[in-house]
C-alpha cells in the first residue's frame, strides 16, 4: 500500500520501456523485472501485475489494482497509451517526468540540510551553555557578592528555570509538535493557513512557489501533450498536489471550466501564481499550444529554483 518513490518509478518505467523497445512482450518484460528486483516487496508487486496480465487485465488496470502504489497520473497516461498504441512513448515521457520530480525533491532536501544541521547545533550549544556553563558562573557570582547587570541576572534566571523544569519543557515541546502534526494532517483549513504562511516568508516562499510551479506546469504539459482532456488534467492535478493553496486554485479552475470559462481565469492575479506564468498560460490557451507553453514555464522556473537554492 506504500507509494512507490519517484526514483523507483523512474527506474521501473525506464527498464520496462527498454525491454518493450527491444521486442520483448509486456508480460515477459514484467516477469524479467520481477526476477531482477532485489527488493522483496517490489518483486512481489511485479509478480501481482504479471498474474493479472496473464488473466487478460489491461496494464493500466493492473497498476490501478495495486492501491496507492502507482500515481493516478501514471495510470491515466497508460490508459491513453493503450488507446493510441504508443506505450513506449508514454513510458519514456513518464520516466523523464519522475526523474525530474526526484531531482526537484533532492534539490529541496539539499537546500534545507545545511540550515537544519546549523539549527540543531545551535540549539545543542545553547542548551549546553544554559544548563551547564551558566550554573557554574552563578555559584562564582554568589561567592563574590557583587551586583550583576540586568541581562546577566535574566540569563541566570532563564538557566535556573530550564534546569528546574526541563522535563515540563520537553514534554510541552513534544505535545505541541504532536498536536501540530495531527491538526496539520486532519484539518484542510489549518494546512492551508500553514502553507500560506510559509509561502510569505522571504527566500522560503520562492523555493516553495517555484517547486509548486515546476510540478504543476510540467505535469500539466505532460498530460496535455498526451491528449488528456483538460478537465481530466485539472482533476488529476488537484489530486497529486499536496499544497492546499494550489489545490484551491486548481479547484477554482475546474469550476470555471464547468461554466465554460478558460482555465487561466482562476490563476489571474493570484499571489501564488507569478504574472509571467499567468501570461504564458493565457497565451497557450489562446493559441492552442497550452502544452508547449507550460513546458517553457516549467523549464524557466526549474532554472529559477536551482538558482535560488
Amino acid at each position: 500500500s506504500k507509494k512507490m518513490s519517484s526514483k523507483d518509478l523512474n527506474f521501473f518505467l525506464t527498464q520496462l520501456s527498454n525491454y518493450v523497445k527491444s521486442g520483448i512482450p509486456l508480460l515477459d518484460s514484467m516477469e524479467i523485472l520481477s526476477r531482477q528486483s532485489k527488493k522483496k516487496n517490489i518483486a512481489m508487486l511485479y509478480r501481482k501485475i504479471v498474474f493479472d496480465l496473464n488473466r487478460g487485465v489491461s496494464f493500466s488496470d493492473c497498476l490501478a489494482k495495486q492501491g496507492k502504489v502507482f500515481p493516478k497520473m501514471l495510470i491515466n497516461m497508460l490508459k491513453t497509451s493503450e488507446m493510441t498504441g504508443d506505450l513506449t512513448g508514454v513510458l519514456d515521457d513518464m520516466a523523464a517526468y519522475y526523474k525530474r520530480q526526484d531531482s526537484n525533491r533532492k534539490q529541496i532536501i539539499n537546500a534545507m540540510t545545511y540550515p537544519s544541521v546549523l539549527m540543531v547545533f545551535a540549539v545543542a550549544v545553547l542548551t549546553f551553555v544554559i544548563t551547564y556553563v551558566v550554573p557554574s558562573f552563578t555559584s562564582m557570582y554568589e561567592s563574590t557578592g557583587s551586583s550583576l547587570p540586568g541581562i546577566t541576572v535574566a540569563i541566570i534566571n532563564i538557566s535556573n528555570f530550564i534546569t528546574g523544569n526541563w522535563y515540563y519543557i520537553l514534554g510541552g515541546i513534544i505535545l505541541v509538535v504532536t498536536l501540530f502534526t495531527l491538526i496539520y494532517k486532519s484539518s484542510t483549513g489549518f494546512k492551508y493557513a500553514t502553507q500560506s504562511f510559509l509561502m510569505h516568508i522571504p527566500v522560503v516562499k520562492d523555493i516553495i512557489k517555484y517547486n509548486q510551479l515546476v510540478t504543476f506546469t510540467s505535469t500539466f504539459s505532460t498530460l496535455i501533450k498526451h491528449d488528456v482532456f483538460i478537465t481530466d488534467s485539472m482533476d488529476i492535478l488537484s489530486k497529486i498536489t499536496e499544497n492546499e493553496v494550489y489545490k484551491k486554485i486548481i479547484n477554482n479552475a475546474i469550476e470555471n471550466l464547468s461554466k465554460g470559462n478558460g482555465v487561466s481565469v482562476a490563476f489571474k492575479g493570484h499571489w501564488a501564481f507569478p504574472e509571467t506564468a499567468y501570461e504564458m498560460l493565457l497565451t497557450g490557451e489562446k493559441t492552442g499550444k497550452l502544452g508547449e507553453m507550460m513546458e517553457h514555464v516549467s523549464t524557466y522556473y526549474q532554472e529559477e529554483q536551482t538558482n535560488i537554492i
Side-chain angles (χ1 to χ4, degrees):
S1 62
K2 187 180 179 182
K3 287 183 180 180
M4 190 178 278
S5 67
S6 296
K7 182 180 179 180
D8 286 337
L9 281 169
N10 172 44
F11 179 78
F12 163 63
L13 296 170
T14 302
Q15 290 294 97
L16 185 60
S17 175
N18 289 336
Y19 290 143
V20 174
K21 281 179 185 175
S22 64
I24 302 173
L26 178 62
L27 176 60
D28 295 337
S29 299
M30 286 303 305
E31 285 181 341
I32 294 170
L33 284 171
S34 69
R35 291 196 300 269
Q36 287 181 339
S37 179
K38 295 179 181 179
K39 297 179 181 179
K40 289 183 179 180
N41 58 331
I42 292 183
M44 178 63 74
L45 174 70
Y46 292 161
R47 283 197 289 273
K48 287 181 181 179
I49 295 171
V50 169
F51 177 78
D52 284 331
L53 286 171
N54 270 313
R55 292 172 56 230
V57 180
S58 67
F59 187 47
S60 59
D61 287 339
C62 288
L63 268 56
K65 286 179 69 177
Q66 308 310 316
K68 296 180 179 180
V69 176
F70 296 99
K72 186 178 179 182
M73 177 183 170
L74 174 62
I75 295 167
N76 278 273
M77 295 296 287
L78 289 172
K79 283 183 179 178
T80 303
S81 74
E82 288 164 355
M83 290 186 286
T84 61
D86 184 25
L87 178 61
T88 54
V90 169
L91 289 174
D92 287 339
D93 285 347
M94 294 309 297
Y97 170 79
Y98 288 113
K99 185 177 181 180
R100 289 196 301 270
Q101 291 287 91
D102 186 51
S103 176
N104 287 345
R105 185 184 65 83
K106 286 178 179 176
Q107 281 187 350
I108 298 297
I109 291 172
N110 290 338
M112 297 306 295
T113 299
Y114 178 71
S116 298
V117 171
L118 214 59
M119 180 64 73
V120 169
F121 273 100
V123 170
V125 170
L126 187 61
T127 302
F128 176 75
V129 169
I130 291 293
T131 56
Y132 290 98
V133 178
V134 172
S136 64
F137 278 97
T138 303
S139 58
M140 182 182 69
Y141 290 141
E142 287 174 349
S143 63
T144 60
S146 58
S147 59
L148 302 174
I151 190 168
T152 306
V153 173
I155 292 172
I156 291 172
N157 290 335
I158 291 170
S159 175
N160 292 334
F161 176 78
I162 292 174
T163 52
N165 302 278
W166 65 269
Y167 35 88
Y168 294 119
I169 296 169
L170 182 62
I173 292 171
I174 294 171
L175 180 64
V176 169
V177 171
T178 304
L179 285 174
F180 180 89
T181 304
L182 291 173
I183 296 171
Y184 185 82
K185 289 181 177 180
S186 60
S187 172
T188 303
F190 183 76
K191 191 175 182 180
Y192 178 92
T194 304
Q195 291 174 338
S196 179
F197 172 74
L198 291 173
M199 291 174 74
H200 284 87
I201 298 174
V203 182
V204 174
K205 66 177 182 181
D206 291 330
I207 293 176
I208 297 174
K209 282 182 185 178
Y210 294 162
N211 182 55
Q212 289 300 317
L213 270 170
V214 170
T215 302
F216 171 78
T217 52
S218 64
T219 308
F220 198 15
S221 170
T222 302
L223 290 166
I224 294 296
K225 285 196 296 181
H226 285 278
D227 300 321
V228 178
F229 291 121
I230 193 165
T231 49
D232 294 334
S233 297
M234 297 307 292
D235 182 56
I236 293 169
L237 285 164
S238 70
K239 289 175 180 175
I240 64 172
T241 182
E242 294 183 1
N243 186 290
E244 293 298 327
V245 176
Y246 266 75
K247 189 170 286 189
K248 187 175 181 180
I249 302 174
I250 295 166
N251 287 334
N252 288 339
I254 294 171
E255 188 177 339
N256 287 332
L257 285 169
S258 67
K259 295 177 181 177
N261 299 322
V263 70
S264 60
V265 177
F267 296 87
K268 185 178 181 181
H270 199 284
W271 59 266
F273 203 78
E275 185 67 25
T276 304
Y278 166 73
E279 291 296 338
M280 295 286 277
L281 176 63
L282 183 63
T283 303
E285 200 171 42
K286 288 180 177 178
T287 59
K289 297 182 178 180
L290 195 54
E292 186 179 332
M293 285 296 180
M294 289 298 93
E295 189 174 5
H296 290 322
V297 174
S298 175
T299 302
Y300 173 76
Y301 282 103
Q302 177 74 67
E303 292 173 359
E304 289 293 299
Q305 183 188 34
T306 303
N307 291 336
I308 197 166
I309 286 174

